[in-house]
Amino acid sequence: MQTAVLPENQLGPAIDWLRRGEVVAFPTETVYGLGADGLDAVACAKIFEAKRRPSDNPLILHVLGLDDLERLILGPVPALVRALTEAFWPGPLTLVLPSTPEVPAIVRAGLNTVAIRAPAHPVAKALIEALNRPIAAPSANLSGRPSPTTAQAVLDDLNGRIAYIVDGGQTPVGVESTVVDCTTQPMTLLRPGGLSLEMIAKVVGEVQLSHPEGPDRSPGMKYRHYAPEAPVIWIQSTDRDFVKQTLDALKREYGTVALASPEPVSWQVNGGIESLGPDGTSAAHRLFCALRRLDRGGPGAIAVVWGSTEGIGRAVANRVEKAAVGRVLAP
Ligand code: TXA
Ligand code: MG
């Protein structure tokens, strides 16, 4: 299959293709998604095939807003869910709620809940509006790889496997949406993401953290994720001496070591260097792109220096942890 990259002001072929029950990659404000008609089980099966996604990992339905959500869930919209949508939609927040049977089982991976979000990106909105149905979309990477934040990253993973990529430039947020299970009391954070836990808690009060050893409520979180070819080592500290010593040890073990680090980047390595910027927001925006870029140099290992779990920093730490084969903590 030939993969064509469409400019974002030329959505016609992408819309026709979606209407025909096929898949299209498109930008959202978080990462690129690989979308299909979310109420068409056959179309959604093509998503799993194109990105080689395990079938027990459910998809997010992308909608325009609360009216669409109402049609996809069982029962009335809980007051706190309504409050969340009023505060943060459209935006990087995914809500897990009891599903109507109308949502194909393949989208839910057989669960009785469905994950729903209203993306803020104009291309995503235009596609949902034109299809006039929810669009099911996971991130548009090959399963296990870093999520794509550019059309080029989608092409690197899926060239020849899908027909269309809509190019909307680099995605602003850079990490995926925050996933909240709204069926528990209090609500449960299933995946930290582009909207901080602190912001959500301001609207709903307490939010519990999903327990890593607990029952697997967000099936996607158990797989190795976000990983480039080179092994990633997470240095969970920004202490100067400690980081320097660790990098020296990594060079002895792995040979060439590439580095992604917050600013100011003041460490010596013998592979490439990518700055993650001054804070969580910039690190989220740059992380996946940095991992893919560093990987291209074929280093023995990629070291990621990251310490913060505040605000969006929590999502950055989570993605680095999942990508990493090992973590080094300051004593
Ligand atoms: O920002 C995003 O969320 C991007 C863009 C494209 O919207 N999408 C995305 O999708 O990250 P994906 O498939 O890579 O991640 C979806 C996450 C997975 O961890 C999955 O297990 C979880 O949402 N999920 C989906 N449906 C669920 C459900 N019914 N219950 C619990 N977790 C669910
Ligand atoms: Mg993904």
Side-chain angles (χ1 to χ4, degrees):
M1 186 186 296
Q2 280 277 97
T3 303
V5 179
L6 302 169
E8 61 186 321
N9 58 3
Q10 233 185 75
L11 296 180
I15 292 166
D16 288 342
W17 201 237
L18 285 171
R19 286 189 180 137
R20 285 163 64 174
E22 300 291 339
V23 303
V24 166
F26 62 95
T28 80
E29 76 278 28
T30 58
V31 301
Y32 277 73
L34 187 62
D37 182 337
L39 299 178
D40 177 343
V42 176
C44 290
K46 294 174 188 170
I47 296 174
F48 285 84
E49 192 186 325
K51 66 171 283 176
R52 301 203 188 107
R53 184 179 179 95
S55 61
D56 65 348
N57 192 0
L59 307 177
I60 295 171
L61 287 182
H62 295 70
V63 301
L64 292 175
L66 185 62
D67 291 348
D68 294 344
L69 174 140
E70 246 175 319
R71 277 181 238 116
L72 296 168
I73 67 167
L74 279 186
V77 180
L80 286 181
V81 170
R82 186 177 295 269
L84 280 176
T85 63
E86 277 164 9
F88 303 120
W89 274 13
L93 173 65
T94 295
L95 304 169
V96 173
L97 286 154
S99 176
T100 65
E102 236 176 284
V103 175
I106 187 172
V107 170
R108 298 177 272 119
L111 300 172
N112 55 16
T113 54
V114 59
I116 305 171
R117 97 169 178 100
H121 197 290
V123 169
K125 287 163 98 166
L127 293 177
I128 300 163
E129 203 165 358
L131 189 64
N132 199 23
R133 321 246 283 182
I135 294 184
S139 49
N141 49 284
L142 274 181
S143 203
R145 302 256 307 140
S147 297
T149 54
T150 61
Q152 184 59 51
V154 179
L155 199 61
D156 289 344
D157 275 18
L158 299 178
N159 194 9
R161 301 182 67 82
I162 60 175
Y164 292 109
I165 303 170
V166 180
D167 188 350
Q170 184 160 4
T171 59
V173 177
V175 291
E176 303 85 341
S177 62
T178 303
V179 181
V180 175
D181 185 349
C182 304
T183 69
T184 61
Q185 269 182 342
M187 292 180 181
T188 307
L189 179 72
L190 296 180
R191 178 178 73 179
L195 180 67
S196 73
L197 181 62
E198 292 88 336
M199 294 286 283
I200 295 169
K202 268 190 201 159
V203 173
V204 302
E206 192 193 346
V207 180
Q208 60 189 354
L209 300 180
S210 63
H211 206 270
E213 287 97 62
D216 210 7
R217 278 216 301 278
S218 191
M221 297 310 280
K222 71 171 177 260
Y223 294 104
R224 178 141 189 258
H225 254 118
Y226 316 118
E229 299 288 329
V232 172
I233 311 291
W234 179 18
I235 305 179
Q236 195 186 2
S237 167
T238 46
D239 178 85
R240 289 189 51 87
D241 292 337
F242 178 76
V243 172
K244 186 178 175 308
Q245 279 168 28
T246 307
L247 288 173
D248 288 342
L250 290 176
K251 277 182 254 177
R252 285 192 294 275
E253 188 175 347
Y254 289 98
T256 320
V257 175
L259 174 69
S261 161
E263 265 157 24
V265 186
S266 49
W267 291 289
Q268 291 290 324
V269 287
N270 50 6
I273 292 188
E274 291 285 332
S275 166
L276 296 175
D279 54 30
T281 303
S282 65
H285 178 66
R286 297 182 195 180
L287 176 71
F288 288 135
C289 209
L291 291 178
R292 282 176 180 266
R293 223 180 283 156
L294 292 173
D295 209 26
R296 254 178 259 146
I302 298 173
V304 181
V305 174
W306 187 256
S308 163
T309 53
E310 304 238 304
I312 308 304
R314 180 187 292 273
V316 175
N318 171 271
R319 303 307 189 268
V320 176
E321 180 178 21
K322 297 251 178 254
V325 297
R327 164 164 63 155
V328 189
L329 265 166

